[in-house]
Amino acid sequence: ETGVTQSPTHLIKTRGQQVTLRCSSQSGHNTVSWYQQALGQGPQFIFQYYREEENGRGNFPPRFSGLQFPNYSSELNVNALELDDSALYLCASSLWPSSSGANVLTFGAGSRLTVL
Amino acid sequence: DQQVKQNSPSLSVQEGRISILNCDYTNSMFDYFLWYKKYPAEGPTFLISISSIKDKNEDGRFTVFLNKSAKHLSLHIVPSQPGDSAVYFCAASTNYGGATNKLIFGTGTLLAVQP
């Protein structure tokens, strides 16, 4: 089975620009989540998509938006980039409902965004 | 408000000895706790989980203990191997209803296993 793949791996943007990050979910998974990991911190939940709709959101402003496509791939869009948006952006997929009960996410390697 | 805390930023252990990584939480509504391991330039990889109704779960060299009264959990690795050197994240989840699968992570502990 293929894992979660993300692109691009690294990118540099300037303040005020817009960025789109892409993710392909693990085969058989039907939900996709995005997390932001700042330096020295743990991943923070941005939002989750299920059946192509956002069904959960963390404490992030509306300029963070996303899409989930029928093939369960996903995009994270960030508008009006700020310096503090510099971070590793992790995509994760999972199967809901889970047979084990635990919410086990499979993560990609992430996209490292630097905002100058 | 940090609901999941890992107070030790780093831990160094000799190969073959036990590694104990600790995690504290504040929200008594969490129903599952998970440990993830992260190598540089890779995404977090799931290690082991425990339900809030259990106090211990074991998988090979990895054992997680949960003390609900103290709101504390720990991950034991025995014996530790150099390949275990990584950042370990504690995470917690709660059933928000429906398909929302949000994990709340701690800040991580860097484990270094010395040969």
Side-chain angles (χ1 to χ4, degrees):
Chain A
E1 64 184 17
T2 57
V4 176
T5 58
Q6 293 186 241
S7 64
T9 55
H10 296 84
L11 70 167
I12 299 173
K13 292 285 188 178
T14 56
R15 198 169 51 179
Q17 284 189 311
Q18 178 266 344
V19 68
T20 297
L21 307 178
R22 293 179 174 83
C23 171
S24 291
S25 299
Q26 178 168 310
S27 175
H29 285 181
N30 56 9
T31 74
V32 62
S33 307
W34 287 89
Y35 286 76
Q36 180 196 66
Q37 186 181 8
L39 201 60
Q41 302 297 314
Q44 280 200 295
F45 177 73
I46 302 175
F47 45 53
Q48 178 186 291
Y49 279 79
Y50 173 67
R51 290 186 174 175
E52 300 172 47
E53 289 190 3
E54 183 184 299
N55 73 333
R57 189 176 186 94
N59 188 25
F60 282 82
R63 60 189 185 83
F64 286 77
S65 64
L67 288 170
Q68 183 188 30
F69 300 102
N71 64 354
Y72 304 119
S73 64
S74 175
E75 285 182 358
L76 165 66
N77 299 289
V78 187
N79 293 324
L81 283 168
E82 301 176 359
L83 298 180
D84 284 350
D85 295 333
S86 295
L88 179 68
Y89 288 86
L90 295 163
C91 173
S93 68
S94 61
L95 177 63
W96 188 87
S98 165
S99 58
S100 68
N103 177 22
V104 178
L105 302 181
T106 301
F107 284 88
S111 294
R112 172 76 62 187
L113 172 64
T114 302
V115 182
L116 302 176
Chain B
D1 175 28
Q2 201 170 349
Q3 298 186 64
V4 177
K5 298 178 184 179
Q6 293 177 258
N7 293 318
S8 297
S10 63
L11 174 68
S12 183
V13 171
Q14 286 295 120
E15 181 179 5
R17 308 293 279 264
I18 184 171
S19 295
I20 300 177
L21 298 106
N22 294 304
C23 179
D24 297 295
Y25 62 95
T26 57
N27 188 343
S28 58
M29 298 301 292
F30 289 139
D31 55 2
Y32 278 94
F33 301 91
L34 302 88
W35 285 92
Y36 279 80
K37 176 171 72 174
K38 188 179 186 301
Y39 293 118
E42 295 184 14
T45 303
F46 170 72
L47 265 179
I48 190 169
S49 65
I50 187 167
S51 164
S52 61
I53 64 173
K54 306 273 188 174
D55 55 19
K56 178 183 174 181
N57 188 26
E58 191 172 353
D59 184 1
R61 297 187 298 116
F62 303 91
T63 303
V64 56
F65 296 92
L66 175 62
N67 182 335
K68 285 189 71 176
S69 61
K71 293 190 174 67
H72 176 85
L73 65 155
S74 60
L75 173 68
H76 293 213
I77 306 174
V78 182
S80 301
Q81 299 172 354
D84 295 329
S85 298
V87 176
Y88 288 77
F89 289 101
C90 171
S93 73
T94 187
N95 185 355
Y96 290 91
T100 301
N101 292 337
K102 172 182 175 180
L103 288 182
I104 299 173
F105 285 85
T107 52
T109 297
L110 174 61
L111 173 65
V113 180
Q114 309 296 335

